[in-house]
Amino acid sequence: MDLGVRWKLHGDGRTPAPGAVVRPDERLSWPRTVGLGAQHVVAMFGASFVAPVLMGLDPNLAIMMSGVATAIFLLATRGRIPSYLGCSLSFVGVAAVIRAQGGTSATVTGAVFVVGIVLFLIGLAVQRFGARIIHAAMPPIVTGAVVMLIGFNLAPVTASTYWPQDQWTALLVMLFTGLAVVCLRGFWSRIAIFLGLVFGYGISWLFDRVFGKIHSVDASGKLTDHWRLDLSGVGKADWIGLPHFHGPSFQWSAILVALPVVIALVAENAGHVKAVGEMTGDPLDDRLGTAISADGVASMLSTAVGGPPNTTYSENIGVMAATRVYSTAAYWAAAGFALLFGICPKFGAVVAAIPGGVLGGITVILYGMIGLLGAQIWLHAKVDLRNPLNLVPAAAGIIIGVGNVTMKFTDHFSLSGIALGTLVVITGYHALRAFAPAHLKAQEPLLDSGTSAYDEEADAKAHRAKP
Protein backbone atom coordinates (compact mmCIF):
# COMPACT_ATOMS: atom_id res chain seq x y z
CA MET A 1 0.00 0.00 0.00
CA ASP A 2 1.36 3.39 -1.02
CA LEU A 3 1.23 5.66 2.04
CA GLY A 4 3.05 8.54 0.37
CA VAL A 5 6.22 8.27 2.45
CA ARG A 6 8.66 7.77 -0.39
CA TRP A 7 10.08 10.83 -2.11
CA LYS A 8 12.23 11.34 -5.20
CA LEU A 9 15.12 13.79 -4.97
CA HIS A 10 14.29 16.97 -6.85
CA GLY A 11 17.11 18.04 -9.15
CA ASP A 12 20.33 18.55 -7.23
CA GLY A 13 18.46 18.60 -3.92
CA ARG A 14 19.34 22.21 -3.25
CA THR A 15 16.77 24.53 -4.84
CA PRO A 16 13.86 24.09 -7.25
CA ALA A 17 14.78 24.44 -10.90
CA PRO A 18 13.80 27.76 -12.54
CA GLY A 19 10.05 27.80 -13.07
CA ALA A 20 9.64 24.39 -11.37
CA VAL A 21 8.17 23.37 -8.03
CA VAL A 22 9.09 20.58 -5.66
CA ARG A 23 6.06 18.33 -5.90
CA PRO A 24 4.50 16.51 -2.92
CA ASP A 25 6.23 13.23 -3.87
CA GLU A 26 9.63 14.94 -4.21
CA ARG A 27 12.05 16.40 -1.69
CA LEU A 28 15.20 18.44 -1.40
CA SER A 29 18.21 17.18 0.55
CA TRP A 30 17.29 16.02 4.04
CA PRO A 31 19.00 18.93 5.87
CA ARG A 32 17.05 21.39 3.70
CA THR A 33 13.85 19.39 4.16
CA VAL A 34 14.25 19.43 7.94
CA GLY A 35 14.90 23.18 7.78
CA LEU A 36 11.71 23.68 5.80
CA GLY A 37 9.85 21.60 8.38
CA ALA A 38 11.07 23.95 11.11
CA GLN A 39 9.89 26.90 8.99
CA HIS A 40 6.42 25.36 8.76
CA VAL A 41 6.34 24.99 12.56
CA VAL A 42 7.19 28.66 13.02
CA ALA A 43 4.49 29.63 10.51
CA MET A 44 1.78 27.77 12.41
CA PHE A 45 2.96 28.77 15.90
CA GLY A 46 1.20 32.12 16.09
CA ALA A 47 -2.30 30.70 15.75
CA SER A 48 -1.70 27.15 16.94
CA PHE A 49 -0.58 28.03 20.43
CA VAL A 50 -2.71 31.14 20.84
CA ALA A 51 -5.88 29.15 20.10
CA PRO A 52 -5.54 26.61 22.96
CA VAL A 53 -4.65 29.41 25.38
CA LEU A 54 -7.82 31.27 24.37
CA MET A 55 -9.80 28.03 24.72
CA GLY A 56 -8.34 27.31 28.17
CA LEU A 57 -6.60 24.12 27.02
CA ASP A 58 -3.02 22.87 27.49
CA PRO A 59 -0.80 24.43 24.77
CA ASN A 60 1.76 21.63 25.09
CA LEU A 61 -0.89 19.03 24.37
CA ALA A 62 -2.21 21.16 21.51
CA ILE A 63 1.18 21.32 19.81
CA MET A 64 1.82 17.60 20.37
CA MET A 65 -1.56 16.59 18.94
CA SER A 66 -1.09 18.92 15.97
CA GLY A 67 1.93 16.82 15.06
CA VAL A 68 -0.10 13.62 15.44
CA ALA A 69 -2.96 15.13 13.42
CA THR A 70 -0.61 16.14 10.62
CA ALA A 71 0.80 12.60 10.41
CA ILE A 72 -2.74 11.13 10.27
CA PHE A 73 -3.71 13.57 7.51
CA LEU A 74 -0.63 12.82 5.40
CA LEU A 75 -1.19 9.08 5.70
CA ALA A 76 -4.90 9.31 4.92
CA THR A 77 -4.34 11.42 1.80
CA ARG A 78 -1.46 9.19 0.67
CA GLY A 79 0.90 12.15 0.63
CA ARG A 80 -0.97 13.97 -2.17
CA ILE A 81 -2.08 16.96 -0.10
CA PRO A 82 0.76 18.77 1.70
CA SER A 83 -0.81 20.31 4.77
CA TYR A 84 -0.20 21.08 8.42
CA LEU A 85 -3.08 20.55 10.84
CA GLY A 86 -3.07 22.98 13.76
CA CYS A 87 -5.54 24.08 16.41
CA SER A 88 -8.66 25.56 14.82
CA LEU A 89 -9.44 29.16 15.78
CA SER A 90 -13.05 28.61 14.75
CA PHE A 91 -13.71 26.94 18.12
CA VAL A 92 -12.43 29.80 20.29
CA GLY A 93 -15.86 31.43 20.47
CA VAL A 94 -17.50 28.07 21.11
CA ALA A 95 -15.17 27.42 24.05
CA ALA A 96 -15.91 30.87 25.48
CA VAL A 97 -19.68 30.28 25.30
CA ILE A 98 -19.45 26.81 26.85
CA ARG A 99 -17.30 28.07 29.72
CA ALA A 100 -19.65 31.01 30.27
CA GLN A 101 -22.42 28.43 30.74
CA GLY A 102 -20.38 26.72 33.46
CA GLY A 103 -18.67 24.14 31.25
CA THR A 104 -15.21 22.73 31.98
CA SER A 105 -12.33 21.82 29.69
CA ALA A 106 -13.79 18.30 29.49
CA THR A 107 -17.12 19.78 28.38
CA VAL A 108 -15.37 21.80 25.67
CA THR A 109 -13.43 18.82 24.31
CA GLY A 110 -16.50 16.57 24.52
CA ALA A 111 -18.54 18.98 22.39
CA VAL A 112 -15.75 19.29 19.86
CA PHE A 113 -15.30 15.51 19.77
CA VAL A 114 -18.86 15.25 18.45
CA VAL A 115 -18.05 17.90 15.84
CA GLY A 116 -15.14 15.70 14.73
CA ILE A 117 -17.54 12.77 14.28
CA VAL A 118 -19.88 14.88 12.15
CA LEU A 119 -16.96 16.19 10.09
CA PHE A 120 -15.78 12.61 9.48
CA LEU A 121 -19.26 11.58 8.31
CA ILE A 122 -19.48 14.59 5.99
CA GLY A 123 -16.17 13.55 4.47
CA LEU A 124 -17.49 10.05 3.84
CA ALA A 125 -20.59 11.52 2.19
CA VAL A 126 -18.45 13.73 -0.06
CA GLN A 127 -16.38 10.69 -1.06
CA ARG A 128 -19.55 8.81 -1.95
CA PHE A 129 -21.69 11.48 -3.62
CA GLY A 130 -19.22 14.21 -4.62
CA ALA A 131 -18.70 17.80 -3.56
CA ARG A 132 -22.08 18.94 -4.84
CA ILE A 133 -23.81 17.72 -1.70
CA ILE A 134 -21.97 20.46 0.19
CA HIS A 135 -23.59 23.06 -2.02
CA ALA A 136 -27.01 21.50 -1.60
CA ALA A 137 -26.93 22.04 2.16
CA MET A 138 -24.46 24.91 2.50
CA PRO A 139 -24.39 27.33 -0.45
CA PRO A 140 -21.96 30.27 -0.20
CA ILE A 141 -24.50 32.63 1.38
CA VAL A 142 -24.96 30.18 4.26
CA THR A 143 -21.28 29.31 4.67
CA GLY A 144 -20.17 32.93 4.58
CA ALA A 145 -22.80 34.04 7.10
CA VAL A 146 -21.94 31.27 9.58
CA VAL A 147 -18.19 31.94 9.38
CA MET A 148 -18.89 35.65 9.85
CA LEU A 149 -21.08 35.25 12.92
CA ILE A 150 -18.60 32.80 14.48
CA GLY A 151 -15.81 35.38 14.18
CA PHE A 152 -17.76 38.45 15.26
CA ASN A 153 -19.36 36.61 18.18
CA LEU A 154 -15.89 36.73 19.74
CA ALA A 155 -15.78 40.53 19.99
CA PRO A 156 -17.02 40.66 23.62
CA VAL A 157 -14.25 38.25 24.65
CA THR A 158 -11.61 40.74 23.54
CA ALA A 159 -13.48 43.75 24.85
CA SER A 160 -14.27 42.39 28.32
CA THR A 161 -11.52 39.84 29.04
CA TYR A 162 -8.20 40.69 27.37
CA TRP A 163 -8.15 44.37 26.43
CA PRO A 164 -8.93 45.71 29.95
CA GLN A 165 -5.93 43.90 31.45
CA ASP A 166 -3.53 46.33 29.76
CA GLN A 167 -5.08 48.64 27.19
CA TRP A 168 -1.87 50.43 26.13
CA THR A 169 0.04 47.21 25.51
CA ALA A 170 -2.99 45.90 23.62
CA LEU A 171 -3.06 49.02 21.45
CA LEU A 172 0.66 48.82 20.64
CA VAL A 173 0.48 45.10 19.86
CA MET A 174 -2.53 45.68 17.62
CA LEU A 175 -0.70 48.40 15.69
CA PHE A 176 2.50 46.37 15.37
CA THR A 177 0.68 43.25 14.22
CA GLY A 178 -1.33 45.23 11.68
CA LEU A 179 1.85 46.78 10.28
CA ALA A 180 3.50 43.35 10.14
CA VAL A 181 0.59 41.86 8.20
CA VAL A 182 0.48 44.73 5.69
CA CYS A 183 4.08 45.84 5.31
CA LEU A 184 6.10 42.63 5.54
CA ARG A 185 6.48 40.34 2.57
CA GLY A 186 6.52 36.62 1.92
CA PHE A 187 7.25 34.35 4.85
CA TRP A 188 7.48 37.19 7.37
CA SER A 189 3.95 38.39 6.67
CA ARG A 190 2.71 34.83 7.22
CA ILE A 191 4.07 34.78 10.77
CA ALA A 192 2.78 38.26 11.66
CA ILE A 193 0.78 36.89 14.61
CA PHE A 194 3.89 35.19 15.98
CA LEU A 195 5.89 38.40 15.55
CA GLY A 196 3.13 40.32 17.32
CA LEU A 197 3.37 37.94 20.27
CA VAL A 198 7.15 38.34 20.47
CA PHE A 199 6.76 42.13 20.28
CA GLY A 200 4.11 41.98 23.02
CA TYR A 201 6.37 39.97 25.30
CA GLY A 202 9.11 42.56 24.84
CA ILE A 203 6.83 45.55 25.43
CA SER A 204 5.30 43.97 28.53
CA TRP A 205 8.75 43.24 29.99
CA LEU A 206 9.87 46.82 29.24
CA PHE A 207 6.76 48.39 30.78
CA ASP A 208 7.23 46.29 33.91
CA ARG A 209 10.81 47.57 34.25
CA VAL A 210 9.88 51.21 33.56
CA PHE A 211 6.43 51.62 35.16
CA GLY A 212 6.30 48.74 37.65
CA LYS A 213 3.14 46.77 38.32
CA ILE A 214 -0.09 47.68 36.57
CA HIS A 215 -3.36 48.31 38.44
CA SER A 216 -6.01 46.54 36.38
CA VAL A 217 -8.06 43.36 36.18
CA ASP A 218 -6.00 40.19 35.96
CA ALA A 219 -6.78 37.00 34.03
CA SER A 220 -9.37 36.00 36.65
CA GLY A 221 -11.19 39.34 36.36
CA LYS A 222 -10.09 40.69 39.76
CA LEU A 223 -8.89 44.30 40.02
CA THR A 224 -5.39 44.15 41.49
CA ASP A 225 -1.76 45.23 41.15
CA HIS A 226 0.13 42.67 39.09
CA TRP A 227 3.06 42.26 36.73
CA ARG A 228 2.22 42.33 33.05
CA LEU A 229 4.64 39.49 32.30
CA ASP A 230 4.87 36.81 34.97
CA LEU A 231 7.48 34.18 34.09
CA SER A 232 7.61 32.52 37.51
CA GLY A 233 5.99 29.37 36.11
CA VAL A 234 8.68 29.02 33.46
CA GLY A 235 11.47 28.54 35.97
CA LYS A 236 9.50 25.88 37.84
CA ALA A 237 8.58 23.88 34.70
CA ASP A 238 10.57 20.80 33.67
CA TRP A 239 12.37 20.55 30.36
CA ILE A 240 10.92 17.13 29.56
CA GLY A 241 7.54 15.72 30.52
CA LEU A 242 4.18 14.71 29.14
CA PRO A 243 1.35 17.24 28.89
CA HIS A 244 -1.83 16.92 30.94
CA PHE A 245 -4.38 14.52 29.45
CA HIS A 246 -8.07 14.35 30.28
CA GLY A 247 -11.14 12.66 28.87
CA PRO A 248 -14.13 14.42 27.27
CA SER A 249 -17.50 15.04 28.91
CA PHE A 250 -20.68 15.28 26.85
CA GLN A 251 -23.49 17.80 27.38
CA TRP A 252 -26.20 18.47 24.82
CA SER A 253 -26.17 22.21 25.41
CA ALA A 254 -22.44 22.39 24.69
CA ILE A 255 -22.69 20.11 21.66
CA LEU A 256 -25.40 22.29 20.09
CA VAL A 257 -23.18 25.35 20.54
CA ALA A 258 -20.23 23.63 18.86
CA LEU A 259 -21.95 21.93 15.91
CA PRO A 260 -22.22 25.04 13.66
CA VAL A 261 -18.43 25.16 13.42
CA VAL A 262 -18.64 22.10 11.13
CA ILE A 263 -19.61 24.52 8.36
CA ALA A 264 -16.46 26.58 8.87
CA LEU A 265 -14.27 23.46 8.94
CA VAL A 266 -15.73 22.15 5.68
CA ALA A 267 -15.09 25.53 4.05
CA GLU A 268 -11.52 25.64 5.39
CA ASN A 269 -10.70 22.16 4.12
CA ALA A 270 -12.31 22.78 0.74
CA GLY A 271 -10.44 26.03 0.25
CA HIS A 272 -7.15 24.44 1.28
CA VAL A 273 -7.53 21.49 -1.09
CA LYS A 274 -8.40 23.81 -3.96
CA ALA A 275 -5.47 26.15 -3.26
CA VAL A 276 -2.94 23.31 -3.06
CA GLY A 277 -4.32 21.75 -6.25
CA GLU A 278 -3.95 25.00 -8.15
CA MET A 279 -0.40 25.60 -6.91
CA THR A 280 0.84 22.10 -7.67
CA GLY A 281 -1.11 21.67 -10.91
CA ASP A 282 -2.66 18.47 -9.55
CA PRO A 283 -6.48 18.70 -9.35
CA LEU A 284 -7.42 17.27 -5.98
CA ASP A 285 -11.21 17.33 -6.06
CA ASP A 286 -11.23 13.54 -5.80
CA ARG A 287 -9.40 13.82 -2.46
CA LEU A 288 -11.67 16.43 -0.85
CA GLY A 289 -13.80 13.86 0.98
CA THR A 290 -10.69 12.08 2.24
CA ALA A 291 -9.21 15.36 3.48
CA ILE A 292 -12.39 16.26 5.37
CA SER A 293 -12.64 12.78 6.91
CA ALA A 294 -8.97 12.84 7.93
CA ASP A 295 -9.47 16.19 9.63
CA GLY A 296 -12.45 14.71 11.50
CA VAL A 297 -10.47 11.69 12.68
CA ALA A 298 -7.53 13.85 13.77
CA SER A 299 -9.84 16.14 15.74
CA MET A 300 -11.54 13.19 17.42
CA LEU A 301 -8.21 11.74 18.49
CA SER A 302 -6.97 15.08 19.81
CA THR A 303 -10.10 15.92 21.79
CA ALA A 304 -10.35 12.36 23.15
CA VAL A 305 -7.20 12.99 25.19
CA GLY A 306 -8.00 16.60 26.12
CA GLY A 307 -6.51 18.50 23.19
CA PRO A 308 -8.15 21.02 20.85
CA PRO A 309 -9.64 20.27 17.41
CA ASN A 310 -7.50 20.68 14.32
CA THR A 311 -7.87 22.08 10.84
CA THR A 312 -5.72 22.72 7.76
CA TYR A 313 -3.60 25.86 8.10
CA SER A 314 -3.51 28.59 5.47
CA GLU A 315 -0.33 30.02 7.03
CA ASN A 316 1.55 27.02 5.68
CA ILE A 317 0.15 27.52 2.19
CA GLY A 318 1.96 30.85 2.23
CA VAL A 319 5.23 29.15 3.13
CA MET A 320 4.80 26.73 0.21
CA ALA A 321 3.97 29.54 -2.19
CA ALA A 322 7.05 31.50 -1.12
CA THR A 323 9.47 28.56 -1.31
CA ARG A 324 7.85 26.62 -4.21
CA VAL A 325 8.39 23.48 -2.11
CA TYR A 326 5.27 21.32 -1.70
CA SER A 327 7.06 18.23 -0.45
CA THR A 328 5.14 16.28 2.17
CA ALA A 329 8.52 15.24 3.60
CA ALA A 330 8.81 18.76 5.02
CA TYR A 331 5.47 18.30 6.79
CA TRP A 332 6.63 15.04 8.31
CA ALA A 333 9.62 16.95 9.66
CA ALA A 334 7.26 19.66 11.00
CA ALA A 335 5.15 16.99 12.73
CA GLY A 336 8.30 15.64 14.37
CA PHE A 337 9.24 19.09 15.70
CA ALA A 338 5.71 19.56 17.07
CA LEU A 339 5.95 16.28 18.99
CA LEU A 340 9.23 17.41 20.55
CA PHE A 341 7.77 20.75 21.63
CA GLY A 342 4.79 18.91 23.08
CA ILE A 343 6.93 17.03 25.59
CA CYS A 344 8.67 20.20 26.81
CA PRO A 345 6.64 21.66 29.74
CA LYS A 346 8.92 24.69 29.86
CA PHE A 347 7.74 25.61 26.37
CA GLY A 348 4.13 25.34 27.54
CA ALA A 349 4.88 27.57 30.52
CA VAL A 350 6.26 30.27 28.21
CA VAL A 351 3.08 30.10 26.14
CA ALA A 352 0.83 30.18 29.21
CA ALA A 353 2.61 33.35 30.39
CA ILE A 354 1.39 35.42 27.41
CA PRO A 355 0.17 38.69 29.01
CA GLY A 356 -3.52 39.48 28.75
CA GLY A 357 -2.84 42.83 27.09
CA VAL A 358 -0.85 41.09 24.36
CA LEU A 359 -3.76 38.74 23.70
CA GLY A 360 -6.03 41.77 23.60
CA GLY A 361 -4.06 43.34 20.76
CA ILE A 362 -3.73 40.06 18.87
CA THR A 363 -7.37 39.03 19.17
CA VAL A 364 -8.71 42.35 17.93
CA ILE A 365 -7.18 41.56 14.55
CA LEU A 366 -7.48 37.77 14.72
CA TYR A 367 -11.17 37.60 15.58
CA GLY A 368 -12.01 40.26 13.02
CA MET A 369 -10.11 38.35 10.34
CA ILE A 370 -12.06 35.17 11.16
CA GLY A 371 -15.32 37.04 10.73
CA LEU A 372 -14.28 38.70 7.48
CA LEU A 373 -13.40 35.32 5.99
CA GLY A 374 -17.14 34.98 5.67
CA ALA A 375 -17.25 38.10 3.52
CA GLN A 376 -14.38 36.68 1.46
CA ILE A 377 -16.48 33.58 0.76
CA TRP A 378 -19.29 35.82 -0.47
CA LEU A 379 -16.99 37.84 -2.71
CA HIS A 380 -15.32 34.77 -4.19
CA ALA A 381 -18.69 33.17 -4.95
CA LYS A 382 -20.16 36.49 -6.19
CA VAL A 383 -23.09 36.28 -3.81
CA ASP A 384 -25.71 38.91 -4.64
CA LEU A 385 -26.77 40.54 -1.38
CA ARG A 386 -29.35 42.60 -3.26
CA ASN A 387 -31.32 39.38 -3.58
CA PRO A 388 -33.63 39.16 -0.52
CA LEU A 389 -33.36 35.37 -0.62
CA ASN A 390 -29.70 35.82 0.33
CA LEU A 391 -29.99 39.00 2.36
CA VAL A 392 -32.76 38.14 4.82
CA PRO A 393 -31.49 34.86 6.37
CA ALA A 394 -27.88 36.09 6.47
CA ALA A 395 -28.84 39.40 8.09
CA ALA A 396 -31.04 37.76 10.72
CA GLY A 397 -28.54 35.00 11.55
CA ILE A 398 -25.57 37.35 11.85
CA ILE A 399 -27.36 39.73 14.21
CA ILE A 400 -28.54 36.82 16.37
CA GLY A 401 -25.02 35.33 16.44
CA VAL A 402 -23.14 38.56 17.08
CA GLY A 403 -25.67 39.92 19.57
CA ASN A 404 -25.88 36.57 21.38
CA VAL A 405 -29.69 36.52 21.15
CA THR A 406 -31.26 33.71 23.22
CA MET A 407 -34.35 31.58 22.57
CA LYS A 408 -35.56 29.81 25.73
CA PHE A 409 -37.63 26.71 25.02
CA THR A 410 -37.80 25.23 28.52
CA ASP A 411 -36.24 25.91 31.92
CA HIS A 412 -33.41 23.56 30.98
CA PHE A 413 -33.00 24.08 27.23
CA SER A 414 -32.26 27.18 25.21
CA LEU A 415 -30.37 28.18 22.07
CA SER A 416 -28.34 31.34 21.71
CA GLY A 417 -25.55 33.07 19.85
CA ILE A 418 -23.62 30.89 17.41
CA ALA A 419 -25.97 27.89 17.58
CA LEU A 420 -29.19 29.90 17.15
CA GLY A 421 -27.68 32.17 14.49
CA THR A 422 -26.50 29.21 12.43
CA LEU A 423 -29.88 27.49 12.73
CA VAL A 424 -31.63 30.65 11.53
CA VAL A 425 -29.29 31.05 8.54
CA ILE A 426 -29.57 27.44 7.35
CA THR A 427 -33.25 26.81 7.97
CA GLY A 428 -34.20 30.34 7.01
CA TYR A 429 -32.44 30.14 3.65
CA HIS A 430 -33.87 26.77 2.66
CA ALA A 431 -37.37 27.63 3.90
CA LEU A 432 -37.41 30.93 2.04
CA ARG A 433 -36.02 29.28 -1.06
CA ALA A 434 -38.87 26.76 -1.04
CA PHE A 435 -41.41 29.59 -1.24
CA ALA A 436 -39.43 32.19 -3.23
CA PRO A 437 -40.53 33.12 -6.77
CA ALA A 438 -38.50 31.66 -9.63
CA HIS A 439 -36.70 34.87 -10.54
CA LEU A 440 -35.05 35.05 -7.10
CA LYS A 441 -33.68 31.53 -7.52
CA ALA A 442 -32.52 31.90 -11.12
CA GLN A 443 -28.89 32.93 -10.56
CA GLU A 444 -26.95 30.61 -8.30
CA PRO A 445 -23.17 30.52 -7.91
CA LEU A 446 -21.90 27.07 -8.78
CA LEU A 447 -20.49 25.99 -5.44
CA ASP A 448 -18.69 27.19 -2.38
CA SER A 449 -15.06 28.26 -2.58
CA GLY A 450 -12.86 25.27 -3.20
CA THR A 451 -15.56 22.62 -3.48
CA SER A 452 -16.35 22.57 -7.17
CA ALA A 453 -14.34 25.08 -9.10
CA TYR A 454 -12.55 22.20 -10.79
CA ASP A 455 -15.73 21.25 -12.64
CA GLU A 456 -16.37 24.81 -13.75
CA GLU A 457 -12.77 25.41 -14.83
CA ALA A 458 -12.52 22.04 -16.58
CA ASP A 459 -15.69 22.75 -18.56
CA ALA A 460 -14.41 26.16 -19.58
CA LYS A 461 -11.06 24.76 -20.72
CA ALA A 462 -12.73 21.98 -22.64
CA HIS A 463 -15.01 24.50 -24.37
CA ARG A 464 -12.03 26.68 -25.37
CA ALA A 465 -10.15 23.65 -26.67
CA LYS A 466 -12.93 22.69 -29.10
CA PRO A 467 -12.17 23.60 -32.76
Side-chain angles (χ1 to χ4, degrees):
M1 180 182 294
D2 181 16
L3 297 178
V5 292
R6 295 181 179 179
W7 302 274
K8 297 175 292 185
L9 188 66
H10 176 88
D12 61 3
R14 296 180 180 178
T15 56
V21 299
V22 180
R23 297 180 59 79
D25 61 347
E26 298 177 330
R27 64 170 177 83
L28 298 178
S29 65
W30 281 115
R32 287 174 173 79
T33 297
V34 171
L36 285 166
Q39 191 169 329
H40 279 299
V41 171
V42 173
M44 67 85 180
F45 256 20
S48 206
F49 69 53
V50 169
V53 171
L54 298 177
M55 293 175 68
L57 300 176
D58 186 346
N60 271 70
L61 182 57
I63 295 298
M64 172 187 285
M65 294 312 297
S66 76
V68 174
T70 299
I72 291 172
F73 186 89
L74 293 174
L75 290 173
T77 59
R78 303 291 189 267
R80 283 187 62 191
I81 306 177
S83 180
Y84 193 92
L85 267 64
C87 181
S88 174
L89 285 163
S90 300
F91 286 94
V92 171
V94 166
V97 172
I98 292 173
R99 290 185 182 279
Q101 296 174 347
T104 63
S105 294
T107 311
V108 172
T109 53
V112 179
F113 180 88
V114 175
V115 174
I117 295 175
V118 175
L119 188 64
F120 171 72
L121 296 176
I122 291 175
L124 293 183
V126 172
Q127 289 183 54
R128 176 65 178 84
F129 300 106
R132 291 185 178 275
I133 65 167
I134 296 176
H135 175 60
M138 300 180 295
I141 182 62
V142 170
T143 308
V146 172
V147 172
M148 186 174 290
L149 69 86
I150 287 173
F152 292 157
N153 178 265
L154 296 168
V157 177
T158 294
S160 62
T161 302
Y162 298 119
W163 192 278
Q165 293 185 44
D166 187 354
Q167 62 176 359
W168 296 111
T169 295
L171 179 64
L172 290 174
V173 171
M174 180 191 72
L175 293 174
F176 177 88
T177 305
L179 286 171
V181 172
V182 174
C183 299
L184 298 180
R185 295 290 182 267
F187 170 73
W188 294 106
S189 69
R190 296 289 175 179
I191 61 169
I193 299 297
F194 176 73
L195 296 177
L197 289 170
V198 173
F199 173 80
Y201 260 89
I203 285 294
S204 298
W205 178 85
L206 180 63
F207 282 4
D208 280 343
R209 303 287 80 75
V210 174
F211 303 112
K213 293 183 177 181
I214 185 173
H215 183 71
S216 69
V217 294
D218 59 14
S220 64
K222 295 180 180 179
L223 186 63
T224 181
D225 292 326
H226 60 93
W227 296 110
R228 297 168 180 82
L229 179 62
D230 183 5
L231 296 176
S232 58
V234 178
K236 300 175 184 177
D238 296 327
W239 280 103
I240 299 177
L242 290 174
H244 173 68
F245 298 97
H246 67 78
S249 174
F250 302 99
Q251 295 182 9
W252 273 112
S253 58
I255 292 170
L256 290 174
V257 169
L259 277 177
V261 183
V262 167
I263 297 175
L265 296 180
V266 171
E268 287 173 351
N269 276 277
H272 185 95
V273 169
K274 181 180 187 298
V276 172
E278 289 179 344
M279 289 189 295
T280 61
D282 180 18
L284 296 169
D285 49 334
D286 62 316
R287 308 305 296 173
L288 176 59
T290 302
I292 294 174
S293 293
D295 190 358
V297 170
S299 292
M300 282 189 285
L301 180 60
S302 178
T303 52
V305 297
N310 294 285
T311 189
T312 51
Y313 261 33
S314 60
E315 288 88 343
N316 298 91
I317 292 181
V319 174
M320 291 190 292
T323 60
R324 294 183 295 139
V325 179
Y326 303 96
S327 172
T328 55
Y331 282 100
W332 278 103
F337 280 119
L339 290 173
L340 291 177
F341 278 117
I343 59 174
C344 179
K346 198 170 286 292
F347 162 77
V350 171
V351 174
I354 299 175
V358 176
L359 291 175
I362 292 291
T363 54
V364 163
I365 294 177
L366 204 57
Y367 293 169
M369 289 172 66
I370 294 171
L372 288 177
L373 284 176
Q376 183 180 356
I377 290 173
W378 287 346
L379 290 172
H380 184 87
K382 299 180 181 178
V383 172
D384 184 5
L385 291 178
R386 296 170 299 178
N387 186 337
L389 178 57
N390 294 329
L391 181 62
V392 171
I398 289 172
I399 290 299
I400 288 173
V402 174
N404 209 34
V405 175
T406 299
M407 282 286 293
K408 186 175 180 180
F409 297 93
T410 69
D411 291 338
H412 304 288
F413 179 73
S414 63
L415 289 175
S416 63
I418 294 173
L420 182 60
T422 300
L423 185 64
V424 167
V425 173
I426 296 176
T427 60
Y429 174 81
H430 289 290
L432 290 174
R433 184 171 175 79
F435 294 101
H439 72 277
L440 293 182
K441 299 184 286 187
Q443 294 184 348
E444 277 286 312
L446 182 61
L447 280 186
D448 199 356
S449 172
T451 60
S452 67
Y454 301 116
D455 300 331
E456 186 179 30
E457 292 167 3
D459 291 343
K461 290 178 181 178
H463 179 75
R464 290 194 296 268
K466 288 182 179 179

